[in-house]
Amino acid sequence: MTLVQTQPRPAHADPVRRTVADAMAAAGPQVCDDMTVEVALAVMASARAGHLLVCDEYGECTGLVTRARLTALRDSAGYTDRIRLRDLAGDLGPLTSTRTTMAEAEHAMRYRRLRALPVVDEHGSALGVLALTR
């Protein structure tokens, strides 16, 4: 796996000091946490996205949910059509800031086996996503 780089890096850029802001991609689809799993899957399908950023009623990013996670939940025995994204609060994963270094972010993503990590500002608003590729 290698980190996706969405912006060209100047030749003089120090890789140790590069931050998440240097490599994050656009935030992509964002949804409110009161959305049901079925609706979230439909939004992902229509947006052709593999993940959604989940925000609370104040617009603060609370995490990221993947198609694989929602599909597994929908196919589980305990699934009902009343489950909302906020019910997955503990499973939405960590967030990072734009000041996090690339080395720190890559280490955290590999350690936690994350393929994508939401990037938020100091107010919790989603700015982008840092993604790993194979």
Side-chain angles (χ1 to χ4, degrees):
M1 294 179 153
T2 57
L3 282 171
V4 171
Q5 185 173 339
T6 59
Q7 298 175 350
R9 179 172 60 144
H12 64 279
D14 182 358
V16 175
R17 300 202 190 284
R18 285 186 59 225
T19 64
V20 168
D22 298 325
M24 70 180 186
Q30 296 181 39
V31 296
C32 193
D33 64 359
D34 67 347
M35 183 177 283
T36 65
V37 169
E38 288 296 327
V39 174
L41 283 166
V43 168
M44 272 190 222
S46 66
R48 294 185 175 140
H51 65 266
L52 296 173
L53 291 175
V54 181
C55 299
D56 65 13
E57 67 230 33
Y58 305 106
E60 293 181 11
C61 183
T62 57
L64 179 142
V65 67
T66 64
R67 180 187 323 255
R69 171 74 177 113
L70 293 182
T71 301
L73 176 64
R74 185 189 60 200
D75 296 342
S76 70
Y79 175 74
T80 71
D81 61 357
R82 294 183 182 206
I83 296 177
R84 299 192 182 279
L85 297 179
R86 73 171 55 115
D87 299 331
L88 308 174
D91 295 333
L92 295 178
L95 307 170
T96 193
S97 81
T98 55
R99 294 179 301 228
T100 303
T101 67
M102 289 298 296
E104 292 169 329
E106 184 174 9
H107 174 76
M109 291 175 76
R110 289 183 192 286
Y111 179 77
R112 294 179 179 167
R113 296 183 180 179
L114 301 172
R115 302 245 357 220
L117 184 63
V119 180
V120 297
D121 66 12
E122 64 275 2
H123 304 291
S125 298
L127 299 174
V129 174
L130 186 66
L132 288 175
T133 61
R134 293 184 185 235

